[in-house]
Amino acid sequence: MPQVPHTLDALAVRAWCGLALEALGRSREEIDAINVYPVADGDTGTNLYLTVEAAAVAVEAVFVAHEAASGSGEAGRPALADAVHAMAHGALIGARGNSGTILAQLLRGMAQVLAAAGETAHADGKGLRLALRQAADSARQAVAHPVEGTVLTVASAAADAASGAEGDCGAVARAAYEGARAALAATPGQLAAL
């Protein structure tokens, strides 16, 4: 797992988009091949890749706009709220298929927490825990008939594991990762099509 920052900022959002796009690029054919639910149409990996690509493009556009407006360097870095809003909006506009739509809902749920206005900082481990929970709940609520053994189950398990993690964003991300891995391994026993 790549190095996770102690707190979240626009650069972390940009890095996540890039890393997610690279990982999906490497795995999209494998994901396409195991795509069996709700329809075995062999496009889930491709749909996820295209959705993250749209999110990454939107985040890059925010960076370019800020750099043009204020010059390069620290002053040109967008706020976390701008980056997560762009990521979620880009994913929504570029969502492909059921998997892309669910991913866009996950990112929207995270953005609702990470970009929330107010006095409370949302860029720390606690903020990431809350964002992962909101993401999982938002995605599940957006699906008319949620089914266990799908990405919804994995997202909920990641949020559950993160909720018990103490510390900075790195500790929370590692806990979420382990929870998601365990849930993913259990999906064949939860979904008959697998």
Side-chain angles (χ1 to χ4, degrees), residues 45-109:
T46 298
N47 289 339
L48 289 170
Y49 179 86
L50 294 172
T51 303
V52 171
E53 183 178 50
V57 167
V59 170
E60 282 305 313
V62 167
F63 271 84
V64 169
H66 274 76
E67 288 170 6
S70 60
S72 62
E74 189 69 31
R77 185 179 302 164
L80 172 63
D82 294 336
V84 295
H85 278 306
M87 178 179 65
H89 183 72
L92 178 63
I93 297 302
R96 301 291 191 272
N98 291 331
S99 57
T101 302
I102 291 170
L103 176 57
Q105 290 299 316
L106 288 165
L107 296 177
R108 184 180 72 77

Side-chain angles (χ1 to χ4, degrees), residues 174-186:
R174 283 187 288 282
Y177 172 77
E178 292 303 327
R181 279 181 57 112
L184 180 61

